[in-house]
Amino acid sequence: MSCCRKKRFVVPFTKQFYHLRDLQKTGQAPQFGSYIYSARELYDRRILLSIDQYSPRQFDKLQITLSSNVAGVFNVCLESTIVGVTSRIASEDIRMDDLLQAKYEKRPSLSLLDGKVRVNFELFLFQINKK
């Protein structure tokens, strides 16, 4: 199956490039990819609706990582760099079955990370499928 997967080219000197390089150095590179986004970027694209205890002005100091090491299971991790050091706020595994159930129920939004993060469901699902 790995012979059929397209190898994605990552532009050097971007946040994604450094993220993947750091994962490879530590030997933690997920089998199905890992993508890092600033909360500001997802908020501007209307994927991210809100994060508890943070205002949209602080979103440039928050990072959301979507990764998958097992087919059909996605890990969502929220990290903060507000104090200058990266610290993990929350992390959760989301199954594709749960996302498909939410799509069947036609939910407009989805709560992640024990209700700390709210996302536009359709745009979030599109982003996962795109990557």
Side-chain angles (χ1 to χ4, degrees):
M1 209 179 241
S2 63
C3 67
C4 299
R5 284 182 34 205
K6 286 175 36 178
K7 184 92 172 163
R8 288 189 176 255
F9 178 73
V10 179
V11 179
F13 312 115
T14 61
K15 187 184 341 182
Q16 182 66 28
F17 172 79
Y18 290 116
H19 170 68
L20 290 176
R21 187 182 71 174
D22 291 342
L23 287 175
Q24 289 171 350
K25 280 183 180 179
T26 60
Q28 300 174 355
Q31 183 178 0
F32 297 107
S34 179
Y35 299 91
I36 191 166
Y37 304 97
S38 72
R40 165 73 60 208
E41 178 184 352
L42 295 177
Y43 182 75
D44 291 343
R45 292 168 57 191
R46 299 186 181 173
I47 296 171
L48 178 65
L49 300 176
S50 67
I51 300 176
D52 282 352
Q53 301 177 355
Y54 294 97
S55 73
R57 289 189 285 174
Q58 296 174 308
F59 284 178
D60 58 338
K61 302 286 185 190
L62 299 172
Q63 299 175 356
I64 296 177
T65 306
L66 299 172
S67 60
S68 179
N69 206 17
V70 178
V73 178
F74 304 96
N75 181 274
V76 179
C77 180
L78 176 64
E79 297 175 330
S80 169
T81 58
I82 289 179
V83 293
V85 178
T86 302
S87 61
R88 179 173 287 182
I89 297 171
S91 182
E92 177 182 11
D93 286 335
I94 301 172
R95 298 175 40 116
M96 183 57 95
D97 296 339
D98 298 334
L99 294 174
L100 293 175
Q101 180 64 33
K103 184 173 177 77
Y104 177 76
E105 294 171 0
K106 298 182 181 177
R107 292 189 195 169
S109 65
L110 184 66
S111 292
L112 304 173
L113 307 171
D114 297 324
K116 291 181 180 166
V117 176
R118 230 176 84 235
V119 294
N120 178 317
F121 176 70
E122 289 294 326
L123 295 176
F124 179 73
L125 186 61
F126 176 77
Q127 185 69 25
I128 286 177
N129 287 327
K130 183 170 91 172
K131 297 294 181 176

